[in-house]
Amino acid sequence: MATTTEQLAAYQNAGGEFEPNHQSFDTLALHAGSIADPTTGALLTPIYQTTTYRQEAVGKDKGFTYSRSANPTVSALERRLAALEGVEHCTCYGTGLAATTVLCLALLRSGDHVVASEAVYGGTVRLLQQVLAPFGVTSEFVDTSDETALKKALSNRKTKFVFIETPANPTLKLTDIELAAQIARQAGALLIVDNTLLTPALQRPFDLGADVVLHSTTKFIEGHNATVGGALLARDQELHERFSFIRNAIGAIQSPFPAWLTIQGVKTVGLRMAHHSENALRVARFLERHPLVTRLSYPGLESFPQFALARKQQSSGGALISFEISGGVAAGIRLMNSVRLCALAENLGSAETLITHPASMTHADVPIAQRQAAGITDGLVRLSVGLEDPADLIRDLSQAFAAAEEVAQ
Ligand SMILES: Cc1ncc(COP(=O)(O)O)c(C=O)c1O
């Protein structure tokens, strides 16, 4: 199987001018790792919709042998994402959870232990607790923003890795990546950062000591609600080889067409993330003043309890806001059912604004006690602020709040 390095060398031999270390983020987002088609000159990497590859002779191939192992369109996406996260290696998967599954299968054996943030994507919790636990993997969900709690969780067990999501979905609580990396290293564990909510445009986990970065590319990386996909990025060659091996062994690779769509989407990730953040700040300021809002979390607001940490490790607040409204569950349901421009939907990270009820949607499989301990209350509403004109979003939310007020208890 061709490695990223070999593919880059092939690109450079073909006259490409890709210089990852000398270009800025937005330039890399447009160009990194792309190879103009040698036969037609087509600027965009084609969709190599092929299962197999003609070999010149036995044992002599061009780096691709079968599309479960590697595919040129998927490899082009991998080179792009690796350049954006600032590391050598990337493998892409059919979904974000397929990436998490490969991570776990590559790193864990029966008897191993995982420490994870208490508020992480519900599917990550389900995978660890309902799929891997019967194979003898134990997992512990702790407040990874609390240094003492994190150290305690790592003190008496053989923990293979610490898995953090920062900001955490959906509470938006932050974990100090640099500190978590130090604590994990001292305990002989790896630090895995799910960077889905901010992307490398707003947060650079490898610069802060992360060993592996995970993405659901379904979200901001692709950004247009058009695909599902995942990625694992690593600096270390051996880790990367383990991920590639497991991906091939279980058949979890991304398909060429969604990979191609993701390459198109990621070209604008820097522009989109900046605009998502500006819009979200406008909407958060509106929510901050609204009398029905009782609790509000947005890392870009000065009132956010971890605002100083947000400024240290994120370059802006991101698109996600979570809030609770007064008036009980009935008011919450009325609010969610009354939006017209915002779409009531699972997912986050798209150009369109999405509104979600985590307790009944994305985190429904997380046991109630665990959900509540993590601050995912029944009244919590999550907004993934899109790229619409924020004045239109605020108008839509205002009329939905007015409807909610009618039934507020
Ligand atoms: C932060 C985070 N990580 C991982 C995933 C899983 O990704 P996918 O839905 O692409 O499998 C999600 C999905 O919502 C997510 O929000």
Side-chain angles (χ1 to χ4, degrees):
M1 191 195 309
T3 64
T4 304
T5 318
E6 283 160 354
Q7 286 160 349
L8 277 176
Y11 172 64
Q12 275 145 7
N13 291 341
E17 288 169 13
F18 173 58
E19 292 177 80
N21 297 328
H22 304 295
Q23 292 175 355
S24 69
F25 187 87
D26 286 339
T27 307
L28 292 174
L30 285 162
H31 296 286
S34 73
I35 304 173
D37 179 45
T39 45
T40 64
L43 190 64
L44 299 195
T45 301
I47 304 168
Y48 285 94
Q49 191 61 58
T50 184
T51 310
T52 194
Y53 306 81
R54 189 183 287 274
Q55 302 185 13
E56 277 175 48
V58 174
K60 203 164 173 214
D61 56 60
K62 291 183 161 52
F64 297 95
T65 53
Y66 189 62
S67 283
R68 177 170 26 79
S69 313
N71 170 280
T73 314
V74 179
S75 300
L77 172 61
E78 290 164 355
R79 291 192 295 272
R80 182 79 46 98
L81 297 184
L84 292 178
E85 283 286 5
V87 291
E88 278 273 297
H89 305 295
C90 176
T91 37
C92 285
Y93 303 87
T95 66
L97 270 178
T100 317
T101 304
V102 166
L103 171 87
C104 292
L105 293 178
L107 298 181
L108 300 172
R109 296 289 172 271
S110 178
D112 284 344
H113 181 239
V114 173
V115 171
S117 301
E118 61 182 354
V120 284
Y121 169 59
T124 308
V125 179
R126 183 177 53 212
L127 176 67
L128 286 166
Q129 288 190 327
Q130 295 186 42
V131 180
L132 293 171
F135 291 94
V137 170
T138 52
S139 45
E140 197 172 336
F141 294 85
V142 301
D143 181 356
T144 48
S145 71
D146 176 344
E147 187 178 343
T148 315
L150 180 56
K151 282 186 171 154
K152 186 162 169 269
L154 284 162
S155 62
N156 50 13
R157 279 249 194 50
K158 186 76 199 98
T159 304
K160 273 282 155 57
F161 64 78
V162 175
F163 186 103
I164 63 171
E165 204 178 281
T166 179
N169 176 9
T171 60
L172 307 183
K173 200 177 229 186
L174 308 187
T175 295
D176 186 326
I177 300 176
E178 204 168 12
L179 186 61
Q182 272 170 24
I183 296 171
R185 202 172 310 120
Q186 276 157 13
L190 297 175
L191 179 71
I192 319 297
V193 179
D194 184 335
N195 203 21
T196 298
L197 264 59
L198 291 180
T199 81
L202 302 186
Q203 180 167 269
R204 317 272 306 171
F206 285 111
D207 295 347
L208 300 169
D211 296 291
V212 175
V213 163
L214 180 138
H215 279 284
S216 166
T217 59
T218 313
K219 314 294 192 283
F220 297 100
I221 293 282
E222 187 270 307
H224 296 77
N225 262 333
T227 62
V228 286
L232 285 175
L233 295 112
R235 196 167 258 150
D236 183 76
Q237 165 103 18
E238 198 207 318
L239 269 181
H240 170 67
E241 281 169 8
R242 274 202 261 171
F243 298 152
S244 299
F245 172 78
I246 300 286
R247 180 178 72 170
N248 184 44
I250 68 165
I253 195 171
Q254 178 60 292
S255 298
F257 184 41
W260 185 86
L261 286 168
T262 308
I263 295 171
Q264 309 322 314
V266 82
K267 288 178 178 173
T268 55
V269 69
L271 301 173
R272 283 188 285 107
M273 292 314 290
H275 204 62
H276 277 298
S277 288
E278 273 171 34
N279 282 3
L281 185 60
R282 287 269 301 274
V283 172
R285 291 207 194 289
F286 157 77
L287 293 170
E288 200 172 30
R289 289 191 300 270
H290 200 286
L292 271 195
V293 174
T294 50
R295 191 160 71 102
L296 173 67
S297 291
Y298 180 61
L301 279 180
E302 296 78 0
S303 58
F304 183 70
Q306 296 169 294
F307 184 63
L309 178 57
R311 292 197 87 169
K312 182 184 146 209
Q313 67 184 22
Q314 318 181 178
S315 50
S316 62
L320 273 284
I321 299 176
S322 59
F323 62 94
E324 279 186 53
I325 72 167
S326 61
V329 175
I333 291 174
R334 178 62 76 88
L335 174 91
M336 312 275 293
N337 287 342
S338 303
V339 290
R340 294 180 194 138
L341 178 59
C342 306
L344 175 64
E346 305 231 358
N347 202 19
L348 57 92
S350 58
E352 299 86 3
T353 296
L354 304 178
I355 190 164
T356 308
H357 181 231
S360 68
M361 296 164 85
T362 50
H363 290 68
D365 269 358
V366 178
I368 296 175
Q370 192 176 340
R371 221 161 54 205
Q372 284 172 350
I376 309 169
T377 57
D378 286 348
L380 193 76
V381 176
R382 186 185 80 192
L383 255 188
S384 173
V385 178
L387 303 176
E388 299 91 345
D389 185 324
D392 291 332
L393 293 172
I394 289 170
R395 207 171 302 119
D396 186 39
L397 288 168
S398 296
Q399 65 79 27
F401 272 115
E405 210 151 15
E406 284 169 16
V407 297
Q409 291 133 10

